[in-house]
Each structure stands twice: as structure tokens, then as C-alpha cells.
Amino acid sequence: MSDIIQLLPDHVANQIAAGEVVQRPASVVKELLENAVDAGATQINLVVKDAGKSLIQVVDDGLGMSMTDTRLAFERHATSKIKSAEDLFNLHTKGFRGEALASIAAVAQVQVKSKTEKADVGTSLQIEASRVKEQQACVTPKGTSIAVKNLFYNIPARRNFLKSDAVEQRHIIDEFQRVALAHPKVGFSYVHNSSELFHLKSANFRQRIVGILGAKTNEKLVPVEEQTDYIHLKGFIIKPEFAKKTRGEQFFFVNNRFIKSSYLHHAVNAAYEGLMRDKSIPSYFLYIDVDPKTVDINIHPTKTEIKFEDEHSIYAVMRSAIKHSLGQFQIAPALDFDRDTDFDTSYEQHKKPISNPTIQVNRDYNPFEVETPRKATSNFSNHKPIIPNAWESLYTDIQPQKDKVEHSSKFLNAPLENNLFQHEAISESIKCFQFNGKFIVADINDKLLVIDQHRAHSRILYEDLMKSITLDAAPCQQLLFPLEMEFSSADFQILTDVQEALVLIGFSFEKWEDNETLISGIPSHVKESDIAAMFDQLVADMRLGIPKNNFEQNDILAKSLAKNMAIKSGRILSTEEQHDLIHQLFTCKEPTKTATNQNIFINFAHQDLEHKLL
Ligand code: ADP
Ligand code: MG
């Protein structure tokens, strides 16, 4: 047989290699931003269209490239950053593989313009699918501009695989934030579809964190610093009371490179031991400088893990430095018996000017006025505070409504399991009691039911919320004082995607811009004090769920809120509330499973019990 092996043409090899580096628009953003940082830029501007699917452009004022270098930069394994294998152990740059530009040019249409300080004219280059289409001298300022258009235009399968704009955009924001946080001295801007999402001036670490996460973050930060022979640790942690229930603001940078490390995350958590509410996760922005010889970053190009020579020392230094900072800022309990703590001012109050107390009176308040629930509205003029519900009974608002009773009759024709719980069967006279603060044990139609109260309630709420979103809007209870909330740009983007749905389920917003919102109304059954945690959880669930379309988005929203709003186990319920819960459950379309497919109850017929007693 004749020889059959042949070398793949370069452009095919490049396309295969590109799969490793360029997974989605955010990967291109990361590579271009890092190249600009490596080129010593002081200002880097990112312009994105359609979540990077049509355009990703990075313009920097760095070193620029000569004409030959501009051409070479797009060859595979072409780099100015290392020359020999030894250099791998002494890296001071983000890039070193010389693969990124070649990979990007293999799967997109690329236009480059670059000029060095000394050159009179710059070079302009157009490349498509690894082939140079045009090269010209051009007038351009010192630095480099790379525009990547129509990513994956030549690999339709990859292009179809991209997620919705909202999701891709979120990944881009994540990458942008990581690079911007790692390099506070560099100015950054980020424009998406002609609106400027970030405008970050050259700053110090604290200012940069605040620039990205919002002005309110400033007072939540506690500085950390420690210098040993082996590492220099600096950065900020968040005061324990501001820890969130969900991940999202945990940043480690090693030699200015963003990394993930569950081991070091554990060290931070260990330092907070005893100071945190249940299951809260502290936010942190920690910069670790170590000798590049003692770390190995020579791993997969898109991975963010790193190997340290002496991980244990870093763990110990980090834990003790954070503990020390928490103690120093009087966050950890101080054992100072001589001090009269009555005179202490809290850290936040300390810096604020003293002002006379003021009273705000609502002149429209009429104690005899009967509250009528209003339709939620995003029309902000409709903001006249009305008295919130004095009672917070969980079920009063969800008394069986006419249409619900009607649809419950469906159970007559439903499969056997549901037939047991026909509407008629669930009369007021059902016998039930609560067990262990978690279950309701009920005797229904000769069956013994053990119902998980939290799951039952989350099913009821889930169906209610989906109905509000898809059929008719839910009532909204106006807050006496609007609630101000601020988010990071990334989180705000996520919430903007579901803002309409939030209005339909009973929220009303007086303001929705600049990463801030003023909540003037909330759904009945929701407590004002739970709102912050609820939004926190919602953002985390939306991040994890990665919705592909509107329905999925609403589904994740309803699941997240239902779980959050549902009564918790441990909550003692009156007999009336237990009855109501059972009633409501069996008027649901799907009373047996939660929206996340968990069983809501188990049941035993008397034969089952007799069998067990044999
Ligand atoms: P790497 O960053 O791993 O070296 P890249 O493919 O990202 O590989 O870039 C190849 C080379 O192109 C870099 O080593 C650098 O010399 C040059 N280069 C890329 N982007 C820029 C830029 N924005 N400014 C100046 N030079 C650049
Ligand atoms: Mg690079």
C-alpha cells in the first residue's frame, strides 16, 4: 500500500489549534486585552458588538509592532515573549505561547493596525481564515488596534454553538473585569453596542475595585497586607456582614494573573471562621506576588489553575494575614475588657459627618384607608407609598381562587396518583399535623401523606410566579420607602435581562440605570428584609442556569424566587396554614414534584403499613 500520511496544510492545523484557545467571544477578549497589557499600554479600549459575535476590537497605546512583526504575530508559535525553554520559568508576561493571534485569525476576519514609536507610518493588515488578504502602509497612532469580525464565520457548527447574546456578554464582562482588576494602573473602557459599560481611569487597587463593583463597595473593604521572604500578599477582603450567599466576587491574582484555587479559597474561609452567617461566602480581591520561578503556569491556555512550589506556606500566610486584618479593624470580637464599648462608633459611622436626626412624615397616610393591591407597573409616576400588608401570613393572598378551583378538577381525570387528591377530597376536615417542623403528615382519602412543607410551598409559588409572568401580572405591595440596591455591572446586566419578568411578578422599580435600582414595590408574600438575599441568589442561579431563551430565563427566575420565598423547614405552621398549604398544593398542575424535580411527598395506603408491620 502506498504512503497515506501527509502534513495538514497550515490553515487547517491552525483551525484545529484554534479550538483550544478560542472557545467563545470572551476568549478573544481575554487574549487581546492581555496582549495589550503585555505591550505596556497605559490605555486600553474594548469595543464589542452583538456580544462579540459581530465585532471585538481592542485598541491600545502600547509598543506597537513593526511591519514584519505585524505579519509574524499571526504565525503559529510566533512570540516575542520567550526565547528558550528556561524563559518559561521566569515569566513576566501574560502570553508566551504565541498561539492566540494565529488561532483567532484562523476562525475570524481580522483587521490589524499597528505602529511603533519610531516608525513614520504604521502597517494595516487584513487576514481571513489564516490568509493575508491585504497589507498596506497606513497612518495610525502609536500602538495597536485589532478588530476581530464575525467570529467562527467559517465554522458554522461552532458559531451555532454560541449561547445567547446575554450569556456571551456576561462571559466577556467576567474576562474584562479580571484583566482590569489585575492592572489598576492601566485605564480601560468597554463599549458594548455603543453604550459605555465601563470607564476606568488609571487608579490604585481600591479605586479599581470600587470602579468595577460600585461606589458602595468602598466602605465594605478591609485592607490586607503581608510580606514574607516567599510571598507578598496585598489586597482587600470584605467585612463579614457583607458576605453574600453566592459566589461571584472572589478574585485571586498571582503575579497579576487571575487564577482560581479552591485550596486558597479555603484559606480565606478559614480566616473568617465564626464570623459569618450560615453558608455565606466572603468576597475578596487578593494579589499575591511570588518569584515566577516558584510557580508553574505552563498549563492549558484557557485554564486558570496554577501550581505553586510551596502551597502550604501561601495558605498559612493568607489565613493569618486575613485573620489579623479582621481583628485589627475590630471586625473580629476584640477581648478588651477595660474599654467601655458603649462609646464605640461603628467603622462606617466613624467617617461620616454628624447630622441632626430628621423625621420623614408621609402626609398622605390615612390609617383608615383599605389597601387595594395594584398592578405592578414600571411607570414610575405611579409611586404613592401605601401601607404595606400588616400581616405577613403566607397564605392569605393565595386563597383558592376561582380559576384554581376549576383547574383542580382536572385531577378527576388525572392519573391514579393525582386522583387521590381530587378537590372534593381535600375538605376542611382533613386531619393533619406538623412533624419535626419540616413535614406535614395528613390523612387524605385513606392514605397517609408525608409532605415536605418547603418543597410543597415552592411548587405553589413556582406555578404562581410562572402564571404571573405568562398570563397576568401579580399585585405589588408598595414600599413606604423605596429600597436602593446597587450591583456590579455584570450582575446588573443579568438582572436587566429579567427586569420585565420581575415587574410582572410584582416588583416595581423607580430607577433602573447605572448599575442601580430603586425598588418601590415588591410582590405580596415577600419580606422587604429578604430582598437583598433574594436578588443575590437570583443572580447566582441565572449565572449557573445559563438560559438559552426567554422561557428558560423565566423558568430559572421562577425556580430561584420560589425556592427563596418558600417557607423554610423549621417554621411552625398553624393547623389552618397546614390546611391551606395542602389545598394549594393539590390545586397545582403538578403537585407531586418540585420544579427542580424533587419529590414533594410520599404516601402510604393502610395495606402498605400493614405489610410493614408483618
Ligand atoms: P503571545 O502573547 O503568547 O506571545 P500572541 O499570539 O498573543 O502570542 O501574540 C504574538 C505576538 O504578537 C506577541 O508575542 C507580541 O510580540 C505581538 N503582539 C500581539 N498583540 C500585540 C499588541 N497589542 N501590541 C504589540 N504587540 C503585540
Ligand atoms: Mg498573547
Side-chain angles (χ1 to χ4, degrees):
M1 202 172 116
S2 58
D3 299 336
I4 51 171
I5 297 179
Q6 52 183 321
L7 282 174
L8 286 173
D10 260 5
H11 69 276
V12 180
N14 279 345
Q15 216 178 72
I16 295 167
E20 296 276 297
V21 184
V22 188
Q23 277 147 5
R24 52 178 8 135
S27 340
V28 175
V29 170
K30 171 177 184 273
E31 295 298 338
L32 296 185
L33 291 177
E34 290 190 345
N35 276 347
V37 168
D38 282 345
T42 61
Q43 178 64 40
I44 300 174
N45 301 330
L46 168 66
V47 179
V48 173
K49 287 219 171 93
D50 306 321
K53 292 172 187 170
S54 339
L55 173 75
I56 299 162
Q57 182 172 22
V58 171
V59 183
D60 69 58
D61 62 355
L63 283 175
M65 290 178 276
S66 69
M67 191 185 75
T68 324
D69 279 355
T70 311
R71 273 296 285 246
L72 255 183
F74 289 86
E75 295 294 325
R76 212 137 49 98
H77 307 304
T79 179
S80 57
K81 298 168 194 175
I82 56 171
K83 292 197 167 56
S84 66
E86 286 86 72
D87 293 345
L88 277 176
F89 303 99
N90 192 19
L91 279 174
H92 292 276
T93 51
K94 304 266 111 54
F96 58 90
R97 293 164 197 281
E99 272 174 350
L101 291 185
S103 298
I104 293 167
V107 294
Q109 298 157 333
V110 178
Q111 159 115 53
V112 200
K113 283 185 179 171
S114 193
K115 190 180 96 71
T116 58
E117 175 102 73
K118 285 197 191 120
D120 296 328
V121 285
T123 312
S124 157
L125 205 62
Q126 274 192 45
I127 306 174
E128 267 183 46
S130 304
R131 294 198 170 91
V132 176
K133 294 268 154 185
E134 200 183 288
Q135 180 178 336
Q136 281 177 337
C138 71
V139 178
T140 180
K142 176 205 157 211
T144 304
S145 153
I146 300 187
V148 176
K149 294 178 192 161
N150 305 321
L151 185 64
F152 298 135
Y153 80 103
N154 54 347
I155 317 179
R158 295 290 303 274
R159 195 163 167 96
N160 294 338
F161 194 68
L162 292 177
K163 297 278 183 344
S164 69
D165 280 11
V167 173
E168 295 302 340
Q169 160 73 342
R170 228 173 283 155
H171 285 285
I172 294 178
I173 293 180
D174 280 346
E175 291 296 353
F176 175 84
Q177 288 186 342
R178 290 169 184 176
V179 180
L181 280 170
H183 301 279
K185 286 274 166 283
V186 180
F188 284 91
S189 76
Y190 174 9
V191 174
H192 183 239
N193 289 346
S194 13
S195 67
E196 188 169 61
L197 298 184
F198 292 91
H199 185 92
L200 306 166
K201 293 205 181 83
S202 171
N204 60 28
F205 284 118
R206 185 189 267 269
Q207 290 161 334
R208 179 52 52 92
I209 296 168
V210 171
I212 287 179
L213 294 178
K216 292 231 177 64
T217 317
N218 196 18
E219 61 189 68
K220 302 178 187 169
L221 298 175
V222 178
V224 178
E225 175 133 34
E226 183 72 292
Q227 171 87 60
T228 72
D229 292 346
Y230 182 55
I231 88 165
H232 181 200
L233 169 72
K234 62 183 183 300
F236 295 88
I237 48 172
I238 208 121
K239 291 179 192 170
E241 67 264 37
F242 298 113
K244 295 186 175 171
K245 282 250 157 54
T246 52
R247 280 176 161 270
E249 290 170 8
Q250 287 71 38
F251 294 91
F252 288 121
F253 300 95
V254 173
N255 296 349
N256 295 334
R257 183 191 295 274
F258 172 80
I259 62 138
K260 285 184 184 155
S261 162
S262 49
Y263 183 67
L264 296 185
H265 177 73
H266 190 273
V268 180
N269 270 329
Y272 275 84
E273 209 175 275
L275 295 172
M276 307 270 279
R277 282 173 293 146
D278 244 12
K279 290 191 192 145
S280 301
I281 309 165
S283 305
Y284 50 80
F285 311 86
L286 294 167
Y287 300 83
I288 301 161
D289 284 329
V290 288
D291 184 340
K293 287 192 195 70
T294 64
V295 291
D296 179 7
I297 45 170
N298 192 11
I299 35 141
H300 191 275
T302 53
K303 295 253 167 66
T304 43
E305 285 86 21
I306 191 170
K307 276 197 221 135
F308 293 101
E309 204 173 83
D310 188 358
E311 216 172 27
H312 297 302
S313 320
I314 298 187
Y315 185 102
V317 170
M318 189 166 288
R319 195 180 136 201
S320 85
I322 294 172
K323 257 194 153 144
H324 178 76
S325 287
L326 289 169
Q328 203 180 22
F329 285 83
Q330 297 183 6
I331 290 151
L335 289 176
D336 185 353
F337 298 110
D338 297 332
R339 226 160 29 92
D340 186 344
T341 47
D342 281 354
F343 295 113
D344 280 359
T345 336
S346 74
Y347 188 61
E348 291 92 337
Q349 294 302 324
H350 214 70
K351 289 177 251 152
K352 290 186 182 157
I354 298 161
S355 59
N356 287 326
T358 54
I359 301 171
Q360 287 190 14
V361 180
N362 173 12
R363 295 188 192 283
D364 292 335
Y365 174 63
N366 173 0
F368 303 106
E369 186 178 73
V370 182
E371 183 198 336
T372 43
R374 295 184 194 180
K375 285 270 174 196
T377 171
S378 56
N379 175 354
F380 304 139
S381 60
N382 188 15
H383 173 60
K384 176 178 154 249
I386 58 169
I387 333 160
N389 282 335
W391 38 266
E392 274 167 352
S393 166
L394 279 154
Y395 306 112
T396 331
D397 253 24
I398 40 173
Q399 290 291 359
Q401 294 152 8
K402 219 162 147 244
D403 61 329
K404 288 210 161 174
V405 173
E406 271 162 24
H407 90 235
S408 73
S409 63
K410 273 201 286 215
F411 293 117
L412 284 168
N413 313 317
L416 189 67
E417 183 80 330
N418 286 341
N419 244 337
L420 289 166
F421 315 113
Q422 301 159 10
H423 177 63
E424 290 90 320
I426 309 160
S427 68
E428 288 303 315
S429 61
I430 50 169
K431 281 180 241 124
C432 63
F433 65 92
Q434 198 181 14
F435 174 66
N436 212 6
K438 187 170 191 277
F439 301 105
I440 297 167
V441 183
D443 165 2
I444 300 176
N445 265 13
D446 259 358
K447 290 242 174 189
L448 182 73
L449 254 74
V450 182
I451 304 169
D452 183 310
Q453 64 186 48
H454 169 73
R455 291 183 185 178
H457 194 211
S458 61
R459 162 52 72 182
I460 297 165
L461 290 171
Y462 171 78
E463 291 200 4
D464 247 28
L465 290 165
M466 283 307 267
K467 192 167 151 250
S468 303
I469 298 171
T470 49
L471 292 175
D472 54 337
C476 148
Q477 60 175 355
Q478 295 291 314
L479 294 174
L480 215 43
F481 303 106
L483 193 67
E484 197 182 335
M485 289 186 54
E486 199 199 357
F487 303 94
S488 67
S489 295
D491 293 355
F492 193 70
Q493 177 80 33
I494 292 175
L495 291 170
T496 304
D497 293 338
V498 290
Q499 191 221 6
E500 259 174 52
L502 286 168
V503 170
L504 289 170
I505 61 177
F507 282 96
S508 76
F509 304 103
E510 259 189 53
K511 176 186 172 191
W512 193 278
E513 60 195 355
D514 301 335
N515 300 342
E516 269 185 18
T517 173
L518 264 186
I519 303 178
S520 53
I522 57 178
S524 31
H525 0 291
V526 173
K527 276 199 259 163
E528 193 178 335
S529 52
D530 292 341
I531 299 288
M534 189 182 270
F535 273 71
D536 240 29
Q537 185 64 48
L538 176 61
V539 168
D541 289 342
M542 299 293 292
R543 268 176 191 277
L544 277 180
I546 312 191
K548 286 195 202 70
N549 50 39
N550 256 357
F551 175 79
E552 274 189 25
Q553 205 163 45
N554 294 338
D555 183 58
I556 295 172
L557 172 83
K559 278 181 189 152
S560 173
L561 295 192
K563 190 159 176 279
N564 226 292
M565 286 155 68
I567 46 163
K568 304 282 176 288
S569 63
R571 156 109 188 224
I572 304 302
L573 301 174
S574 69
T575 315
E576 207 188 339
E577 286 174 327
Q578 295 173 34
H579 273 150
D580 273 345
L581 188 72
I582 296 173
H583 249 296
Q584 292 299 315
L585 178 64
F586 292 108
T587 50
C588 281
K589 286 186 182 153
E590 170 51 281
T592 58
K593 300 263 187 195
T594 62
T596 49
N597 212 24
Q598 292 170 305
N599 291 327
I600 294 175
F601 58 82
I602 45 172
N603 66 68
F604 306 92
H606 63 95
Q607 298 93 320
D608 300 335
L609 295 174
E610 275 164 11
H611 187 74
K612 281 208 182 302
L613 288 168
L614 274 181

